[in-house]
Amino acid sequence: MALADGTQLRARCGPGLARGDAAVLALRPERVLVGTGASADNEVAAELVETIYFGDHTRLRLRVGGYDDFVARLTFRDGLARPAAGERVRLAWSASCCRALAPEAPE
């Protein structure tokens, strides 16, 4: 799968999709590894747009590949300092944890 900026990602293919079709990436925020040591099938640089504190975790909204709606989750046990808005961070996740799905048709 390729993002608008050309970033290449690996994902499991959902039903009805063929190579090159438009798709939406489905990935649970807790499956995203955040930080300089993050390493997995998919590795991308991101810019932090917003942090939202939830008590037991912090939700990060990030700009990835030209999109600013990528979400990751940090828990306190991750041992990472919470990044600040505008900061660049490294993200990684396994291809087995995400799925490429056909986008919904507009109503």
Side-chain angles (χ1 to χ4, degrees):
M1 148 173 222
L3 300 180
D5 71 349
T7 300
Q8 295 289 317
L9 301 174
R10 292 179 54 205
R12 294 181 310 160
C13 191
L17 281 180
R19 185 176 295 272
D21 286 351
V24 174
L25 183 68
L27 173 65
R28 295 190 60 86
E30 63 271 16
R31 296 291 189 185
V32 179
L33 304 172
V34 180
T36 55
S39 177
D41 299 326
N42 295 299
E43 298 180 15
V44 297
E47 178 185 347
L48 182 62
V49 175
E50 177 182 34
T51 60
I52 306 163
Y53 176 72
F54 279 99
D56 65 338
H57 71 278
T58 299
R59 189 158 289 223
L60 308 176
R61 188 167 62 91
L62 303 132
R63 185 170 292 112
V64 173
Y67 302 94
D68 66 356
D69 56 356
F70 191 97
V71 177
R73 178 181 170 177
L74 281 180
T75 61
F76 293 116
R77 71 173 178 263
D78 292 335
L80 300 171
R82 275 184 247 139
E87 191 173 330
R88 303 281 300 168
V89 296
R90 187 118 191 106
L91 306 177
W93 64 92
S94 170
S96 66
C97 293
C98 60
R99 182 169 282 223
L101 303 172
E104 291 185 11
E107 295 180 18

